[in-house]
Amino acid sequence: MLKKCDCYVESVECRVSSICADIKQKRTLPSVSELSAEHIIHKFAVMCADKNLYIGVDLGGTNAKAGVITLEGELVCRKDLPITDLEENAVAERLVECIREALKSCNHTLSEVACIGVGSPGGIRDGLVTSAANFPLWKDVPLAQMIKDRCEGVTTILANDADAAIAAEVWVGAVKKHGARNMAMWTLGTGVGFGVVIEGAVVKGYSGLIEGGHAIVVPDGDLCGCSQKGCIEMYVSASNVARIAKEAARKPGAKSCLPVGDFGSYEVFQAAAKGDEVANAAIDQAADKLGMMSVNVSRFLDVELIVFAGGMTKAGDILLEKIQTAFDKYTWTKLPNNAKLVYAEVGEDSGVIGAGAMAKLHVTGEI
Ligand SMILES: [Zn+2]
Ligand SMILES: [Zn+2]
């Protein structure tokens, strides 16, 4: 961690000596960006000026959210605005409007902001959104620079939204609470996200394509949108739990109180709570696969913590209990089980707080 220095020269020495210590300890070389003069000057400016806020921006397909966050990770205020025009400049304008209104609502200004973090869906590289399913016309959009230009030159960084959600748990959520350095996180929403933190660092993989939601659990199983068959997402995402319940409820002779028309995972959990067998079977098969795959995650990575996040966890403790039961059924008994299975702690603000955490990571070098 950087110490606050009195002068520019000392701050550079401080940074250089901390990098040397890192090299000795980890036996790895720092990245070029870490050593760049601009970066050192930026760190110095943040340390010496009275910049004690981060901004976290969560860009969704239909909504923009911006939050003002303290250096300790407390969300001071938040502003949400709908996204109606998908054109890149219009989206950038909307995000900036969100940032300005959030700051205004708690009487702060951009001059107090150390860094703006933007969490975006899709592929992210060097401040560019390379592509995003929600914004089909976007190709290599320099979103970080576009926001920086509209925000008085405040340093702006871009992060993948899944990484941001993990960063939120590291900063103020489950990872912090349990003091874990090694964790994996399943995000159970419309799709299934998966992320890994090892020794406090988010693991990126070779091309940023760690996609645990597309790990295969059923050989030659249901065809997934990714072109593989039997991906875990096809059995445990919110939409697929609802699909599996629907298919079972419509079978001749099925006894179920599930509605005849369309419904989502929320209705499945409601019906299960009333003892509906079809609903319970749909949830049980999902929990079973998540428990089994979490055993595999433990065997591959030996993490201390496996976190479950996303809309499905709103179902309450029943889902986590079923996953734990499955984990216990599949896991070994002759060696220690180190992984604790828990729900995420940050909740619906995780996108905003996580983007703020990525801003903190940029400025301080750690979360
Ligand atoms: Zn797949
Ligand atoms: Zn074995």
Side-chain angles (χ1 to χ4, degrees):
M1 180 79 180
L2 273 174
K3 299 277 186 300
K4 185 161 176 156
C5 299
D6 297 329
C7 70
Y8 174 72
V9 175
E10 277 182 26
S11 83
V12 173
E13 283 176 352
C14 174
R15 178 67 191 144
V16 170
S17 65
S18 85
I19 289 170
C20 290
D22 282 355
I23 295 169
K24 275 182 203 149
Q25 201 192 352
K26 296 182 196 160
R27 296 177 179 279
T28 56
L29 287 171
S31 64
V32 173
S33 68
E34 223 182 349
L35 283 170
S36 76
E38 189 199 12
H39 201 72
I40 293 167
I41 290 164
H42 173 58
K43 280 172 187 294
F44 168 70
V46 169
M47 283 186 288
C48 296
D50 197 14
K51 292 183 185 295
N52 47 19
L53 294 172
Y54 297 115
I55 298 278
V57 178
D58 182 11
L59 171 60
T62 53
N63 264 288
K65 300 172 191 168
V68 179
I69 304 165
T70 66
L71 300 186
E72 288 74 41
E74 190 195 340
L75 183 63
V76 182
C77 47
R78 194 184 107 175
K79 180 74 189 173
D80 297 11
L81 289 172
I83 288 178
T84 45
D85 187 344
L86 301 185
E87 193 272 328
E88 58 199 62
N89 284 295
V91 170
E93 291 290 347
R94 185 40 65 98
L95 293 177
V96 171
E97 195 184 338
C98 228
I99 291 168
R100 289 188 182 278
E101 288 199 17
L103 281 164
K104 207 168 125 191
S105 70
C106 47
N107 294 314
H108 288 293
T109 63
L110 276 169
S111 64
E112 299 166 79
V113 176
C115 185
I116 299 169
V118 181
S120 167
I124 305 294
R125 181 173 40 80
D126 303 332
L128 308 174
V129 181
T130 54
S131 65
N134 294 323
F135 304 100
L137 296 179
W138 286 22
K139 195 177 181 304
D140 293 339
V141 173
L143 192 60
Q145 189 66 42
M146 288 162 80
I147 291 173
K148 184 181 178 183
D149 290 346
R150 290 166 170 83
C151 286
E152 300 169 15
V154 175
T155 301
T156 304
I157 58 107
L158 203 52
N160 175 274
D161 55 0
D163 289 349
I166 292 174
E169 293 300 323
V170 172
W171 198 12
V172 296
V175 180
K176 184 189 179 196
K177 180 175 161 184
H178 294 278
R181 299 276 298 155
N182 303 279
M183 65 89 95
M185 185 158 109
W186 296 101
T187 303
L188 310 172
T190 315
V192 173
F194 180 80
V196 181
V197 172
I198 296 293
E199 285 304 307
V202 177
V203 178
K204 292 282 190 193
Y206 169 66
S207 64
L209 277 175
I210 291 181
E211 291 283 355
H214 299 276
I216 296 169
V217 281
V218 178
D220 293 316
D222 295 350
L223 181 63
C224 178
C226 76
S227 82
Q228 292 177 176
K229 286 178 182 172
C231 296
I232 189 168
E233 179 170 300
M234 292 306 295
Y235 305 94
V236 311
S237 72
S239 48
N240 279 303
V241 166
R243 173 185 65 87
I244 286 164
K246 255 175 243 174
E247 285 169 5
R250 282 168 196 165
K251 277 195 182 135
K255 287 198 188 77
S256 176
C257 67
L258 282 161
V260 183
D262 202 26
F263 57 84
S265 65
Y266 178 76
E267 284 80 5
V268 179
F269 278 97
Q270 270 191 325
K274 290 180 200 148
D276 188 279
E277 278 178 30
V278 168
N280 269 303
I283 294 165
D284 287 348
Q285 64 81 35
D288 195 74
K289 290 180 178 71
L290 282 167
M292 184 181 78
M293 287 303 285
S294 294
V295 171
N296 290 343
V297 166
S298 298
R299 296 300 92 88
F300 285 131
L301 299 171
D302 187 25
V303 289
E304 308 145 78
L305 203 62
I306 299 180
V307 181
F308 296 87
M312 282 256 287
T313 62
K314 285 185 187 157
D317 291 342
I318 183 71
L319 178 64
L320 188 61
E321 283 164 16
K322 284 175 187 271
I323 296 170
Q324 183 72 58
T325 301
F327 184 95
D328 295 342
K329 180 179 81 178
Y330 288 114
T331 195
W332 61 28
T333 54
K334 298 198 172 176
L335 287 165
N337 279 291
N338 298 318
K340 203 177 258 174
L341 274 53
V342 299
Y343 274 159
E345 301 261 336
V346 183
E348 64 161 344
D349 291 325
S350 69
V352 167
I353 293 175
M358 297 306 272
K360 178 183 191 291
L361 179 65
H362 178 80
V363 174
T364 68
E366 64 180 17
I367 298 174

